[in-house]
Amino acid sequence: MQTEKKTLILTLRLDEESQAFFDEMRKRHFPQERNFLKAHLTLFHQLPSDLVTGGYFRRL
């Protein structure tokens, strides 16, 4: 049986001081021609399957 892997991306909202810091780092180090978003922090790219988590994330 083939199972479909679903990807879930969660983004954290930063406090103002942290947001300003990471925006400045992004401005300095990220390619200017691709820098059209504010800095952001991705927490998870792909969560484990229900088989591993027992459906925990599905219940949230």
Side-chain angles (χ1 to χ4, degrees), residues 10-59:
L10 305 175
T11 302
L12 179 68
R13 183 178 295 195
L14 301 169
D15 62 83
E16 289 182 27
E17 183 179 357
S18 297
Q19 185 69 57
F21 172 80
F22 289 115
D23 282 342
E24 181 60 31
M25 292 295 103
R26 186 175 173 93
K27 185 191 233 182
R28 286 186 195 176
H29 302 289
F30 199 77
Q32 185 177 10
E33 67 277 4
R34 296 179 58 208
N35 196 358
F36 52 89
L37 297 174
K38 288 187 174 186
H40 52 281
L41 178 61
T42 301
L43 297 176
F44 300 97
H45 183 260
Q46 186 170 351
L47 296 173
S49 71
D50 281 350
L51 295 173
V52 174
T53 65
Y56 173 80
F57 293 108
R58 192 178 298 268
R59 293 189 301 268

